[in-house]
Structures are given as structure tokens and as C-alpha cells.
Amino acid sequence: MNSTDQKPYGVKLEVRGLRKSFASQEVLQGLDFTVQPGEIFVIMGPSGSGKSVLLKHLIGLEAPDAGEILVNGESIMTPEIAAKYRMALVFQSGALLNSLTVGENVGLYLTEHRLKPPAEIERIVREKLADVRLSEAIHKMPGELSGGMKKRAAIARALVIEPQLILYDEPTSELDPLSSVVIGQEIWNLNQNTRVTSLVVTHDRDLAFGVADRIAVMDGGQILTIGTPEAVKAFPDARVQTFLNADFKREPRFKNI
Amino acid sequence: MFDNIGQMVLLFWRTLGALPLAWRQRQKVFEQFFEIGNASLLMVCMLSFFIGGVLSLQTGPALVERGLPSAVGGIVGLAVARELAPVMMAILIAGRIGSAMAAEIGSMRVYQEIDALRTMNINPIHYLVLPRLVAIALALPMLVVLAILIGWFGGATVAEINHHMAIPFAVFFGDLRSMVELKDVANGVFKTFCFAIIIGTVSCHQGLATIGGPRGIGRSVTKAVVNSIILIVMFDYILTRLLLH
């Protein structure tokens, strides 16, 4: 069966009127958007535009001052409802636990919640590491990995949860162009294979236009535009064009790899 | 420090609530327990031997001069068991282990490892704080029992070899046995248990409250050690008052 013919496994995410202030600065100024099941939705914007703060709200690490976040129509502001849905965040730094091996990091969710017997956990860990082409690193410590390998290990750790929504925070930051392409492929392949709803926060235009079904451009805590990559490129707003103005002619083709 | 006391009490309360999960975390408890022992055993032995020795040296000649050589063992025995071993070892462990706890948890906080735990629905209190608190609450009293014995031995050694005293081991320990009761040692160990809770709670709290980069970690470590020592000395007075009555 063609993977794109599968029924979407991911969830629908809705953000309504989300506001957040730190001290006197309003970091999120009433955000509204919807991510459809199985979609890759990219949020772009310059540093300090509120992208990472938004991600922390989506995963429950921050509480908003106003507004709500709905998954499949249910507010996830209560821990009970949030626990119903499997959501994973791939951190900008990878955020692997430095005291554990890569294999232990990847299996941590299953081990701590005692969801499977140890032999089964090891099988799953090996499978997920193979999915991100990192099988050889299973016994290595995070400190022995390159930046790209850490991010792939973090993706493998997220996959163990079998997420219905996966959030990526700057997945290609601090990576060389080749590693960025590899990460882009991983995001694309994962979405195609599992139809997991994916939300990518990045300021990497190559990645965004390479993987996105739709793109939102943020600045100053507001969403300036939402649309298909083509629509966003053509959006006639000075701030959007200032952010996107360079090098549109060379479009990487992650989708075709 | 005092603005954080409420948060520390809350952290301790939540950890106490998670105590039934300690058996599930026994592997981490053992790892922490052996790390504490491994890092501290030699220092505890050396420090307690010399504490006993210097106490003997300070009090012995004066007592011998006044015709009370048989009181040296009792005074050294009581002072080491009730006060010096518990307080000095607690301060040592605050510096050696409390700082390490604050640094480790603080760096996990700064580098988003704790956020990663939370996104996996793993409670950082269960995963990080509980094993450390249980381990230090078990290890420190054991170390203090050892410190008391070595302290007594140090005092007896100095009392025998110092020519101003020249008190034989048998006399020293005979007097010590007549003055020091089991409850004196038990009181010292109980105080140590309380100090261990203070060190563990303060250090883990400072680690979890770390903000900023490496500088923030440094600040947390300093605060963990200083606040632990201040609270140890304050609680030493309070507990001594309560236990003496």
C-alpha cells in the first residue's frame, strides 16, 4: 500500500487565541492556527519571534496566560486529557540525558513506565535507531555523538513513544548543510511512513520549503501569514519578504529523495 | 535563602509522597548510595580521626593538669558522638555531595534534559530527587557511625601518644563507656539523618531552580552548599535543644 494512501495516524491540533507574557513583554500575541492530521506544518520566523515558547506551550512545559490548545477537539490544558494523546518534542539540542547511553536514552520512556519487558524494549530501541540510521551508536554516550547524530537519536527517542503529534524545535540548527539535509529527510520519511502530525519550528528556509505542507511565518509573537509554500513565498508583506528574500531559486527537494 | 524555604518544603513533601516508588528506583538509589560512599569514605575517615585527635589534644592536657585524666575519654566520646561527627560530616557531605547534586541536576535543567523527561511524562522528582534523597538519607548516618568510631579512636591514639597525657587506651575507652550512652550515639545519628534530608532537599531544589547557562549552574552550586551549611547549623541547635530535653 502506498504510504500516502494510509489513513492519517496523527491528530488535529488547534491553537486558539494563545497569549503569553514574560514580565512586561508579550511573547505570544493571540496566536490562531490549525494543523491538520498527518500534515507537516512549519512555523518560521527570526530568532526571538516566539517560536520556541509556542512549542513549550504545545507540549505542556508552559501554561498560557490566555487562549487554548485543542487536540482532536479536546482541550489539552488538563493533564488527564493531555495524557490521552502521545506527543513528542525533539529539542533543539537533542536534550539526551548525558548520564545514559544512546540506547538507554531511546528506551527511557518504555523503561521508566515499565511498558514492555527488557528484551522487548531492546528490540524496539534497535528498531528505532535503525529507522534513523544510528544502529552503531546504541552503546555510545551522547557526548561521543556529533550534533546531527544527537538530533537523530532524539528523533528515535521520540519515535519510541509512537507519537500522534511530533514537534521539532529548530531541528537543523548548528548542523552542517549535509546533516541538515539528512534531518530533513528523516522528518519527511517519518511523516510519510506513519502519517504522524508534524510541527516544525525553524528559521531554516531550505528545510521549511523542503518539507512543509503549509508554512506559518511568525514575527514579534504574531503570525504574519499561513499558507502553502508557494502562497507564503508570494505573500506581499514586507516583514515576510524581508525574512524570505534570499535565494528562492534554489529549492531543495527533500520530498523527492 | 528564606524566600525559597516554601519551595524546598514543597519539594520535600512531594518527594515524601513519592517514597512508595523508592523500591522501583532502587537501582538509582544504589548507584547514588555507592557514589556517596565512594566519594566520601576516605575523607570521612581522615577528618574524623583528626577531629577526635585535636579534641583530645585541646582538652586532655588541661584535664590531666587538674587531676582528671579519666575524664578525657568521656568528654571526647560525648563531643564526637553528639556534636562533632554529625555536624562536621554533614558539612563535608554538603560540600562534596550536595554540590555535585546541584551541579548535575542544574546542568540537566539548563540543557533541557529535565524538560525532555517531562515531555516523556517522567516526573523529575521521582526520577532525580527521590533516589538522591533516599541515598543520602541512608548513607550519611552510616558514614557518621563510622566517623564516631574513628573519631574515638583518633582521640584515644592522641591521648596515649601525647606525653602530656599518656592515657592508656583501656583507661580512655573505660571512661568513654561510662559516660557515653547508646542514646548519645542514637541522637547524633538522628541529627545526621535530618541533616541528610536538608542537604538532599536544598541541593536538589537549587539544581531544579537553576536558570541561565554555566554561570547559573555555578550560582546554584554555591547556593546549595551555603544554604545547606546555614540550615545544618540552625537545625543543629534546634535538634540539640529538643533531644537534650
Side-chain angles (χ1 to χ4, degrees), chain A residues 56 59 61 87 91 93 95-98 100 108-109 112-114 157 161, chain B residues 24-26 28 104 108 111-113 115-122 127:
Chain A
K56 287 187 173 179
I59 201 77
L61 294 174
M87 295 183 277
F91 286 84
S93 61
L96 300 173
L97 272 65
N98 276 316
L100 304 180
L108 186 62
Y109 174 79
E112 280 303 306
H113 294 292
R114 299 190 169 198
R157 185 173 67 182
I161 298 173
Chain B
R24 272 184 68 168
Q25 301 284 4
R26 62 189 177 281
K28 287 193 215 62
E104 190 179 359
M108 290 181 77
Y111 297 112
Q112 293 187 302
E113 292 176 32
D115 284 345
L117 288 175
R118 289 169 63 193
T119 62
M120 287 185 278
N121 213 11
I122 298 170
Y127 187 80

Side-chain angles (χ1 to χ4, degrees), chain B residues 72-113:
Chain B
V72 177
I75 286 172
V76 171
L78 273 181
V80 168
R82 281 183 178 179
E83 191 62 36
L84 288 173
V87 173
M88 294 302 285
M89 293 313 120
I91 289 172
L92 176 76
I93 294 296
R96 181 70 184 82
I97 303 299
S99 59
M101 281 183 186
E104 190 179 359
I105 296 177
S107 74
M108 290 181 77
R109 174 101 169 93
V110 167
Y111 297 112
Q112 293 187 302
E113 292 176 32

Side-chain angles (χ1 to χ4, degrees), chain B residues 35-174:
Chain B
E35 199 170 316
I36 293 168
N38 194 33
S40 321
L41 203 57
L42 184 64
M43 281 192 293
V44 164
C45 293
M46 285 174 61
L47 195 66
S48 48
F49 182 88
F50 285 103
I51 285 171
V54 82
L55 191 62
S56 201
L57 201 60
Q58 290 278 14
T59 57
L63 290 168
V64 170
E65 244 178 51
R66 286 157 181 78
L68 295 166
S70 62
V72 177
I75 286 172
V76 171
L78 273 181
V80 168
R82 281 183 178 179
E83 191 62 36
L84 288 173
V87 173
M88 294 302 285
M89 293 313 120
I91 289 172
L92 176 76
I93 294 296
R96 181 70 184 82
I97 303 299
S99 59
M101 281 183 186
E104 190 179 359
I105 296 177
S107 74
M108 290 181 77
R109 174 101 169 93
V110 167
Y111 297 112
Q112 293 187 302
E113 292 176 32
I114 290 176
D115 284 345
L117 288 175
R118 289 169 63 193
T119 62
M120 287 185 278
N121 213 11
I122 298 170
N123 189 328
I125 293 178
H126 300 175
Y127 187 80
L128 296 171
V129 180
L130 179 68
R132 283 165 176 78
L133 205 58
V134 171
I136 198 170
L138 291 174
L140 191 51
M142 287 184 184
L143 286 171
V144 163
V145 170
L146 182 70
I148 289 170
L149 296 174
I150 293 175
W152 288 346
F153 179 72
T157 305
V158 170
E160 176 150 345
I161 62 174
N162 185 280
H163 66 278
H164 291 298
M165 292 181 275
I167 300 167
F169 259 59
V171 175
F172 183 94
F173 279 106

